[in-house]
Amino acid sequence: MPYLRAVGRALALAAFSLLSWIDVLVELIAFVLLCGGLVFFLGPAVEWARGRSAVARTLAARWCGVEIEAPYRPEPPEPVRERDGWYRDGNQLYKRAFWVRWQHRLTWALEDPAANREFSWQLVNPLLTLLLPVAVLLGGPRVLHGYGRWTRWWIGPHPPSELARKNWLHRHLEALGHQFGILALSVVQLVFSVVQLVVVAGATPLAPPVVLWSRSIADTLRREAENWTGVRIPRPYQPPPGVPIPRADGLYQVGRQLYEEMFWPLQNARTRWILGDRATWRDMAGGALSSLVSLACSLPALVLFGWGMTGLWMLWVWRPFVSSRVQWSPLPEVSTHLGALAQTPLILLALVIAVAPAPWLARQQARFARVWFGPTESAQLAQRVERLKQTRSDVTVTQAAELRRIERDLHDGVQSRLVAMGMKLGAVEALVDTDPEAAKRLTAELRAASSEALTELRALIRGIHPPVLSERGLLDAVRALALDSPLKAQVTGSLPGRIEEPVEACVYFAVSELLGNAAKHGAKRVSIEVEFAGELLTVVVTDDGPGGANLARGSGLRGIERRLGGFDGRLALTSPIGGPTKATLEIPCLITPEPSSPKTSTCSETA
């Protein structure tokens, strides 16, 4: 009886698992709509699919004897109305909480690592469960327990240490999905490129909104290519035109034409900006070329993977239950278990060949996309000049504020102590002959005051430029920060020499600010990775805090951004609700090789 019950449960699980492919189809359709600008469907589709995963966890506990907890991050908190009655999300203000709540829930659903595992499980699980009844017939109820553990591994909670480690199969299947993702985004970009071309040729006044809408698709491709493959594709577009300035008589001039309203001059400026930007035309060409290259890279893997999975299904599901004889081209006809076993290694080899080159091919697709969707050298130079123009005033204001802070600290601190010490010295001079004991007491107070003034002066000097930074370099200075931090901090990385001193100071104070923010917001652990490659210094600070950090709302983060902007650097922040928070500092600089320096070591240190 238990044997038959186990077989019935296996059949029920196999039938239920097929519904996961419906979830996959719905999510893919919602993703395509998202690429087309219809952003309202993907979040609900992901949350709807989580309902079926919850049922699968319940069945695993009831029928397989394996308890599985929900693996998701905590739900985002409700939006808080500010004093002026608005709801704020970054730099955007909303009258109703619905929009902020929807955006937070979309981010929460998509950036959760459990979402990626769940989507992979929805794809793979039906294929496995089709073989589950056969396995239960051969192995008995114990096979159901093994299936429950399999389910827990896919859609159960994973500790952070396990999330960082992925086996070979997981990495390559994920990369195969990234290949198809880049292909899908390239095809969507191709469709919008055709729409842009038609609008520019036949309805030029409508070109600005259509092109700007299409650029959001290209931005999605750039963002996901970097997330999936690590290949960064910067935005290549020229900055938008400013608002037209009226003449003294209140009219707006465009060439020889005068306008009473701002609309037409602004429309003309936006049209010239869109059509005169080479990146607009490169996006159109890139949509076609990137689609062809991605198709060429992905089609062989898709054919092999589909052939292999269909072959396994034909040999081990269709043949035993539906037909006693099957033939899967170009393999010979099979009618026995022995023949199926003989062909299975060949099919598994095809699957391995399909997924083995997937990470390399995905990177090649992203690199080709960077050729067309990234900036040219002239565009990079123009962007850099524009960025330096914007950051120059910020740097000047920051330097002036820093000088005022130093002046205030010297005036209110050390200078006041020196004045008091001078007055006490005058009293000692007056009392040394008439009251030696009082003079001795004042002398002792002067000694203590001088020690306090020296301590305060040293602290002020460390705030201007820490001595450890000058003596030991950036890596050891960051380790000193980690040791002084109340967090459990780990520093890893290596530097082949000495960074330029202004860059060292900039990065040092930026890391100090990030550590302070992490401690202030309740983090317990933090990791700091320091690397230098290709004349680019990269520092990644990751903490296990509650997340929700926002560049638009944090004054300290904006200060870090301004610091880096003075050196043409950038701050990238990833901080989903529930954590972790990951801040990446990138700054171009030069390095002086010092092979014998102690700071070139590659060791890690835990504080």
Side-chain angles (χ1 to χ4, degrees), residues 530-552:
V530 183
E531 294 293 341
F532 181 86
E535 297 187 354
L536 184 70
L537 175 66
T538 304
V539 180
V540 181
V541 181
T542 308
D543 67 68
D544 62 351
N550 195 318
L551 281 172

Side-chain angles (χ1 to χ4, degrees), residues 216-247:
S216 65
I217 311 301
D219 288 339
T220 302
L221 175 58
R222 296 184 188 95
R223 182 181 65 253
E224 298 305 332
E226 181 176 3
N227 293 336
W228 292 339
T229 67
V231 178
R232 185 185 170 211
I233 308 178
R235 293 187 91 239
Y237 309 117
Q238 295 178 0
V243 178
I245 300 175
R247 304 191 324 165

Side-chain angles (χ1 to χ4, degrees), residues 151-433:
T151 305
R152 182 174 60 187
W153 184 81
W154 274 99
I155 58 174
H158 284 220
S161 58
E162 288 187 20
L163 292 178
R165 298 193 303 267
K166 297 179 181 178
N167 57 37
W168 185 91
L169 181 61
H170 189 182
R171 292 196 309 271
H172 285 71
L173 283 175
E174 194 174 65
L176 187 63
H178 296 162
Q179 277 190 260
F180 299 149
I182 294 175
L183 173 61
L185 288 172
S186 299
V187 171
V188 174
Q189 175 64 26
L190 172 60
V191 173
F192 277 82
S193 297
V194 174
V195 173
Q196 289 181 77
L197 192 59
V198 171
V199 170
V200 169
T204 305
L206 299 178
V210 172
V211 171
L212 290 178
W213 185 31
S214 302
R215 284 182 178 182
S216 65
I217 311 301
D219 288 339
T220 302
L221 175 58
R222 296 184 188 95
R223 182 181 65 253
E224 298 305 332
E226 181 176 3
N227 293 336
W228 292 339
T229 67
V231 178
R232 185 185 170 211
I233 308 178
R235 293 187 91 239
Y237 309 117
Q238 295 178 0
V243 178
I245 300 175
R247 304 191 324 165
D249 56 4
L251 299 177
Y252 297 90
Q253 180 177 357
V254 179
R256 297 182 179 181
Q257 184 68 39
L258 295 177
Y259 298 90
E260 295 182 356
E261 301 293 337
M262 185 192 300
F263 174 78
W264 290 111
L266 183 60
Q267 180 73 9
N268 291 336
R270 285 168 60 85
T271 303
R272 289 196 303 270
W273 165 57
I274 290 292
L275 300 184
D277 192 345
R278 293 176 60 187
T280 300
W281 307 100
R282 290 171 60 84
D283 280 357
M284 296 183 192
L289 297 176
S290 181
S291 298
L292 292 175
V293 171
S294 296
L295 182 63
C297 292
S298 304
L299 188 59
L302 179 62
V303 171
L304 277 176
F305 191 80
W307 181 85
M309 297 305 298
T310 307
L312 289 177
W313 184 81
M314 292 282 290
L315 291 177
W316 297 107
V317 178
W318 183 264
R319 182 187 57 80
F321 292 100
V322 180
S323 175
S324 61
R325 308 174 69 88
V326 297
Q327 182 175 9
W328 183 233
S329 180
L331 301 179
E333 187 179 79
V334 173
S335 59
T336 63
H337 291 308
L338 186 62
L341 284 174
Q343 292 187 4
T344 299
L346 183 61
I347 294 177
L348 293 177
L349 178 62
L351 293 176
V352 171
I353 294 174
V355 301
W360 182 81
L361 288 173
R363 285 194 297 272
Q364 301 313 308
Q365 289 176 231
R367 286 170 180 163
F368 184 83
R370 182 174 58 187
V371 172
W372 289 97
F373 297 109
T376 60
E377 291 186 5
S378 59
Q380 285 180 326
L381 180 60
Q383 288 180 344
R384 186 171 184 179
V385 170
E386 185 65 27
R387 178 174 172 81
L388 290 176
K389 285 181 181 178
Q390 294 174 355
T391 57
R392 182 175 56 187
S393 59
D394 289 340
V395 171
T396 304
V397 171
T398 302
Q399 288 178 340
E402 187 70 11
L403 288 175
R404 287 195 299 271
R405 182 189 69 81
I406 296 171
E407 178 193 13
R408 185 171 59 253
D409 291 347
L410 288 172
H411 182 274
D412 298 341
V414 178
Q415 178 177 306
S416 299
R417 292 186 181 276
L418 292 177
V419 170
M421 289 170 61
M423 295 174 65
K424 287 184 178 181
L425 281 173
V428 169
E429 187 178 6
L431 294 172
V432 70
D433 294 327

